[in-house]
Amino acid sequence: MQRTTHRLSFLGKIITFDCKRGTVDGERSELIFSSLLFERENNRFVKAADGAVVVSRKRTTHVDIVKCKCAIDVQKRVAAVYVLVKKKNEKGENFHYSLHTLSRSNRLEPCIEFKLPYEMRENVCILQGPTVLWSQAGNVFYTSVQAGEVRLIPIQLSSCVVGQPSFHKGQVFVLGVQNLSEQCQNNQCTSQTLGYFVDGGHVFDGDMILPHPYIFITQCILVISAEEEQGVLKSAVVVATSNQQLVYFENGIIKDICQLPFEGPEDIQMVNTGRNGWLFVIFFQQGHVCAVWKETFQIASHWSGISSVHVDDFLGCGTDQILLAFKDKGVTGPLLDHFFLTDLCGISYSVMHYATEVILTFQQNYLFTLQALESRLQNGLGVLQELQREVRVKERVVQESVQALTDVVSGRETVLSQPEQEGLIALWDCDDGSEGEALDDKMQNMPAESSKPQVDKLWHRITEDQLVVGVILTTDSSSQPLASVSLSILTETGQSSTPAVIQTQSQVFWLPEPCPSSSSSSSSASTFSEPAAKRSKQHNAGRLCDLNTCRLAVTAVTRLTPLLNSGCVKCCVMLHYIRRQDAVSLVSNPTLGTLHCGQVSLDIHNDFQTVLLKNPEHKTDEVKEDLLSLLTLLDHWVFHIDSPDHSLGDIDSWIQKRVGSKRIEVCPQYLLLNSSGPSALMLLHWHQITPFQGELSVHSSQLQMLLFLKSLLAYLPVSCAIQPAKATRRQGEAQLFSLALEKEVVSLRDSVSLLLCEKDEEEEKRKSLEHNETPMLGSVEGLQRCRESWQQDVERSKMKLSPMLNLGRYRSLTQSMSKDQLYGDLATLLEIQRTLLS
Amino acid sequence: MSNKTCQPISLLGKWVQENNELVNKWKLQEIGGNTSIPGQNQTCLRGWSSEFNKLLRKIQGVPPLADHTQLELSVLYNACVCAISQSQFTEAELLLLQSTERALQMTGNNTLASDPNVFWREVLKSVGNTALNVCIVHLLCLQWAIWLATCQLNMINDSQMDLSSLFETLGDGLGNNRRSESSEIPLLLMDTRKLVELLQICTLIAQGAERLSEGQSSEALTGLQAALSLAAPRNLIAYIHLLSGSCLAQMGRPQMALQCYRNALETDSQCVCALYQSMLIYRLLGNTQAEIEALRLLHSTLILTSATESALSSVQLLSPSLLLPSQSLSSLLSVPSALSVLHELAMRCVLHGRVSEGVEHYLDLLATLHSEDQHGVKAEVPLLPRLPELYLEAGAALLMSRLPADCMVLCDEVISKTLELLPEKLILEHQEERGESETRDVNDSVAVLLWAGAAYLLQGQCYAHLKDWKQAVTHYTRCINLVVKVCFKKRVTGFQSQISSADMVVKNGTDLCILKKLKGLSLAGRGISFTQTDKLKEALRDLQLSVQTSPECVGAGLWCGEVLWRLGRRQEAAACWEKTWSFNKESSFEVLPLYLQEALSGPLLDTMELRQRVQGLGLT
């Protein structure tokens, strides 16, 4: 046992205990106490009382103080000071323990005495009662005035922790680990935490106070409250662990932690500083002390070189203060002459030889407030500067636009130098409209021949309850392209002679010439080869319609069951088409045509379970027909994916990596995804427009489409937007509108200039005839002639301003103008319908 | 009493819940709103960081348990992400290594390798194919991010092979394991697949920039080309195009470089550097019109971007700018300030014939400088010449565009400011080492003298333009008086002697050169003015001195001949002309400042007429 001075604080006084051999004859050993009181005026502790009691009269007994503590005497319902003294005879085996109390009259009186065959070392506590509790070799013993004898707790606990709630909020309990031997097979729960209420005597689950892993690392504990409310145990506990952490538990849940700066916590006390909250003061082994605020769980302050720390109301002002007694070399007297008394909220008295660090949290608060205000100011300044900058930019823009406007209004040309007009960096490729024009001209110049389209093949497929009939056509569409093409199926219902048309849905597919398709990877492969010439021809893959011959596939789908009213049904397939006179004219007379394609026979006895696209990697006609049937059968969606901030990456390869995806060799732009399920075929086509935009065309059932989109969305960058589009963008359709407008403007310009040019030619002829004579100003005739020629000039200029036109020519001009305008209006309507209303 | 077997799990469960709550709150905040005040982002981040750190400390306060390892590693990941986003790289790395070691004590391996590469490899080996493998790979991603952010590309290069194969498995594995979204799995703050993508792209960019700065353009190019197929944010793709352009420019393919720069601008219109680089290429190719257009665009873009830089995004974890701090990259991406660009633009306009635009730009520049002075904002423009020189250049431009009155105003300004600072006598030491681009101190008396001299010269030229010959002569005289104040000393070993300036060997761009040119031009101007007022003797004296001083001054030579002709000394005149025409110019005119161009010096003589005279003389 160390010969440390045993001190405690009680009712605002510091009481020191010591054991001493008597001075008179060296035989008696005495237990001495002295109590000190703080004198505020003189800033020191003065002796208030002292006394002694004889503990043993034999010389050979070795007397020592084990512990001194303030505890509650349950019988008298007051708090009192208790000191536990041990006596050992040199010769004997037993240890005698006696608990003395300091009475109000400043006299030490014994209250409990007991004898033990061993020395108590672990977990020695003086608890309310008074009760002395200790643990020895896995057992916990206790004795009290009520018990009268040494008792044992019924359960075996190791790694014990004793908790006594402060402020009488609960009962004393012991927490410990009980090893379960055969109960569970798992290696993990070989032990559990149990708790035992000493007074009530019943066992409870220790996890309600402290989670199991913490029991092993708890070094000291402060129980704020541990009460049973309506059968449920509610507790608030602060624990200092061997991992240098202070942990606050409420009902067994970790609420807060604080990292402690020192190791080896020995004791935790609570300080009530009144209005400013509560503090936890932790005393460490090497003489360190740390104070932590309860509300914020931040370290308030720390000290070193402390021999003992006490919390009590030393000043008598109603709140607690912390008294730190410093270790001094060579001073062993009971008088405290080197101490520090504070409550970290403004009160501080010290007698010290050296200064220690004190971080006042209030100063810190001021600092934080200042910093916050400063940053607020700076933010405001920043905002102000931004606004100013914006205003400057707006002014500049307004100025420039005003300049441009005034130039326009006053008829001045805005001065643009030649380079400006040309443009330095062409950020857009010039789209060439001349190609299209050339096309048009070519088309218009070919002789108008009406030729029927040729049927190459007729096929049909049956899946589930739908019948798909398809026709592949070749048509010469250079002069008169086909505009709406559809199929219809007629059955001959046995009795009546007129065939009935069955409800079908028809679709048209333009078949490209088999050309090596440049897939979407062209964007990355050719970045560093020579750049394409600016006026490049339109890429072939985009234009599916060749100039001379077109191959079309037309399909029709219908429900199967109405057809199967007899054993064998023969259906006729009819093709309907409309020809136009030229590619871009919409008002010309359409010619309707029909064509009998062939017959399809269905036999109910045949096997109807054809699996489409079994082998997509083959390049046969059958696969092509399967593909077209699937394209007709499945629902079709087109999605436009736009990612403004983030490039899309390689979506094609992502799709390909998905389970069960195969590329269809016949038409390599399509991918077949075959996930499990009956109607689970999915055809996908991904077209990358720019690194940031792409178009996804999906043919599948709705559920499959939604599932696929969900997984795609998980893969895409966050800022992507997927929008459904009605159909894939075709260049031809957009061009129709622009071509119509262009045609209108050009025809207006040409015809009017033609008309006026003719007038000018006549004028020129007349002028050249007349200007042969130079009038002489001298004579009257000369003057007259001058006057006449001047008048003629005047009239001529008047005529120029409002020329006379040939009526017939004017009429034809207005007629062609109105036709062009009508055509332009129609194109506009179509465009609106295409983009907005559909 | 609750079942004992679920005791560890309930603690774990609570911690998993806490972690997931924090992550969900973060995600809500991210989607919810953009904070507009810049300071708030940092405090927000700090708040989250402290929350995660606290949770991590709670978990680490308990001795390591096998069940807790996955949770611990996930919370570690979250905490490190917060730390890295706040640029606390060393703390994050330390935390990462220590916590990984601690967590792996559970698997029984104490790997204490000091080299991080070896450490991670061993860790991965020890973890094997367990569920912890994924967690460790996530942490390795963070280590990668730290290496990138602290420019330790060599570490990345060493472990390149491991990294790329690891992340392949990560990318595949993640897609399939999305099903189990029960509350048992601790959520991660930043999606690892996106993190890996970002890291890959940033690594490729950083490597490309390094190689480029070391001169290995072709390797850099191949690396950057590979990077284009990855998914990346827009500005990073613009960087890739930009760097590819720089590689191609270094490899001597300027047209391809221009294409790349165009792609960069198409991708991201904020990428001003692409515009700047293409301007440089146009300058290299000698396409002055394109260069001037590029300068103009660059200037307007810089003005606009500085005004609209208030676009602050929400709190972003691990933004690309955090991961790409390397010096070489920032030097490749540097763009001069708006004012320098404006000055450059003005000078180019004037030099290449678009004088009126040049004048406007000069006036803009001066106005901007004045307004900035008034606001007290210190504009750091280290590359801009001093204010008097700008005034003189603007004045010269004004004179070139036939606005002599305005030019005189500017010159008056310069003179009035420098009047007090003029020295009485100046001795200049001939220093060989003096560079051209030294910034001149205001106290530098040579500079002041040159400025004042040039101002007088310009004023004289203005008066000559206005045909006010008397005033012209006055001002030319003032210039000459200033110039002769300078004496030159040559340091010959042993003794010093004062040698007149005419005997010095001239180096381009030095003060000596400018002085000589000043002298030559002013003498020529005065001579020409004398000629116009019929004071031929003085004219001759001046013109001869001028020709002697700066023989490249063609106008002086021709006028000298003219005066001789008028004085009747025709043979000498012809000889003089012949000498002038046969003088071959050295290519040193580029270095002289704008205001010493010969084009301003007064009325010109018709060379054809003079040749006819010579021929006529030859015949007689």
Side-chain angles (χ1 to χ4, degrees), chain B residues 597-617:
Chain B
Q597 298 291 320
E598 208 194 315
L600 311 167
S601 53
L604 297 170
L605 290 171
D606 187 8
T607 321
M608 291 309 299
E609 199 213 327
L610 300 180
R611 282 193 195 268
Q612 281 175 354
R613 288 194 207 169
V614 172
Q615 277 179 352
L617 194 61

Side-chain angles (χ1 to χ4, degrees), chain B residues 213 238 305 330 339 497:
Chain B
S213 58
T305 46
S330 44
L339 282 177
S497 59

Side-chain angles (χ1 to χ4, degrees), chain A residues 575-586:
Chain A
L575 177 77
H576 308 269
Y577 58 90
I578 297 178
R579 274 201 187 280
R580 301 207 178 273
Q581 269 183 336
D582 64 79
V584 291
S585 156
L586 298 160

Side-chain angles (χ1 to χ4, degrees), chain A residues 641-648 691-693 717 719-721, chain B residues 234:
Chain A
I641 298 174
D642 188 12
S643 165
D645 296 330
H646 202 94
S647 76
L648 292 171
F692 299 92
Q693 282 179 355
S719 56
C720 257
Chain B
R234 207 172 258 268

Side-chain angles (χ1 to χ4, degrees), chain A residues 797-814:
Chain A
S797 54
K798 267 200 205 153
M799 294 276 283
K800 267 213 174 124
L801 281 179
S802 42
M804 308 273 270
L805 296 173
N806 187 340
L807 187 62
R809 287 234 175 96
Y810 183 69
R811 270 207 198 114
S812 60
L813 165 73
T814 43

Side-chain angles (χ1 to χ4, degrees), chain A residues 528-789:
Chain A
F528 298 121
S529 55
E530 290 304 311
K534 263 189 182 176
R535 308 185 165 207
S536 59
K537 298 200 196 305
Q538 284 180 3
H539 196 45
N540 253 340
R543 251 190 336 154
L544 299 171
C545 181
D546 212 353
L547 270 184
N548 291 325
T549 48
C550 255
R551 279 162 63 85
L552 288 185
V554 191
T555 56
V557 68
T558 177
R559 299 209 39 210
L560 190 57
T561 34
L563 290 174
L564 299 175
N565 49 10
S566 63
C568 179
V569 181
K570 282 215 178 78
C571 304
C572 284
V573 178
M574 305 292 291
L575 177 77
H576 308 269
Y577 58 90
I578 297 178
R579 274 201 187 280
R580 301 207 178 273
Q581 269 183 336
D582 64 79
V584 291
S585 156
L586 298 160
V587 277
S588 51
N589 302 322
T591 49
L592 292 159
T594 11
L595 184 66
H596 178 82
C597 304
Q599 276 199 335
V600 166
S601 67
L602 306 167
D603 200 345
I604 201 172
H605 302 298
N606 285 345
D607 190 13
F608 280 158
Q609 298 289 331
T610 49
V611 177
L612 293 175
L613 277 183
K614 256 182 297 193
N615 304 313
E617 54 277 354
H618 292 178
K619 279 194 179 186
T620 57
D621 278 344
E622 187 193 338
V623 174
K624 211 193 292 187
E625 289 158 16
D626 281 347
L627 174 66
L628 288 167
S629 320
L630 263 184
L631 286 174
T632 322
L633 280 170
L634 296 168
D635 295 328
H636 177 48
W637 290 273
V638 177
F639 297 103
H640 188 69
I641 298 174
D642 188 12
S643 165
D645 296 330
H646 202 94
S647 76
L648 292 171
D650 203 354
I651 295 209
D652 213 24
S653 60
W654 177 80
I655 298 180
Q656 280 190 310
K657 274 195 209 148
R658 286 174 68 84
V659 174
S661 74
K662 292 182 214 161
R663 204 165 270 283
I664 300 174
E665 293 304 319
V666 175
C667 191
Q669 41 186 358
Y670 280 101
L671 272 172
L672 175 73
L673 256 99
N674 196 355
S675 41
S676 60
S679 63
L681 283 179
M682 189 152 62
L683 288 168
L684 293 171
H685 169 48
W686 169 253
H687 171 54
Q688 185 114 28
I689 305 175
T690 72
F692 299 92
Q693 282 179 355
E695 214 168 58
L696 179 70
S697 161
V698 182
H699 292 260
S700 74
S701 67
Q702 195 168 34
L703 180 64
Q704 293 289 322
M705 182 269 294
L706 287 173
L707 288 174
F708 179 75
L709 276 187
K710 181 166 182 267
S711 59
L712 180 65
L713 268 175
Y715 177 78
L716 289 176
V718 174
S719 56
C720 257
I722 298 191
Q723 274 175 343
K726 263 302 156 183
T728 52
R729 294 201 181 156
R730 297 259 195 118
Q731 281 181 321
E733 290 169 4
Q735 271 189 359
L736 208 66
F737 180 42
S738 46
L739 282 176
L741 291 177
E742 194 181 340
K743 190 169 178 218
E744 189 180 328
V745 169
V746 163
S747 66
L748 176 63
R749 182 191 68 186
D750 287 340
S751 41
V752 172
S753 59
L754 197 66
L755 214 55
L756 289 175
C757 275
E758 288 181 1
K759 289 297 296 172
D760 276 344
E761 280 173 17
E762 294 177 24
E763 290 299 315
E764 289 290 323
K765 283 186 211 152
R766 255 190 277 147
K767 257 201 221 170
S768 55
L769 288 173
E770 287 180 357
H771 260 275
N772 286 334
E773 329 153 5
T774 47
M776 295 189 312
L777 287 170
S779 55
V780 176
E781 299 93 15
L783 202 59
Q784 185 73 19
R785 235 175 278 146
C786 263
R787 209 178 282 143
E788 279 173 15
S789 66

Side-chain angles (χ1 to χ4, degrees), chain A residues 23-47:
Chain A
T23 45
V24 177
D25 48 6
E27 282 208 349
R28 293 192 294 178
S29 307
E30 287 184 334
L31 177 65
I32 315 171
F33 81 93
S34 74
S35 90
L36 301 168
L37 192 58
F38 185 68
E39 236 180 33
R40 211 191 283 206
E41 301 81 33
N42 298 329
N43 201 20
R44 62 193 176 98
F45 281 90
V46 288
K47 209 177 234 184

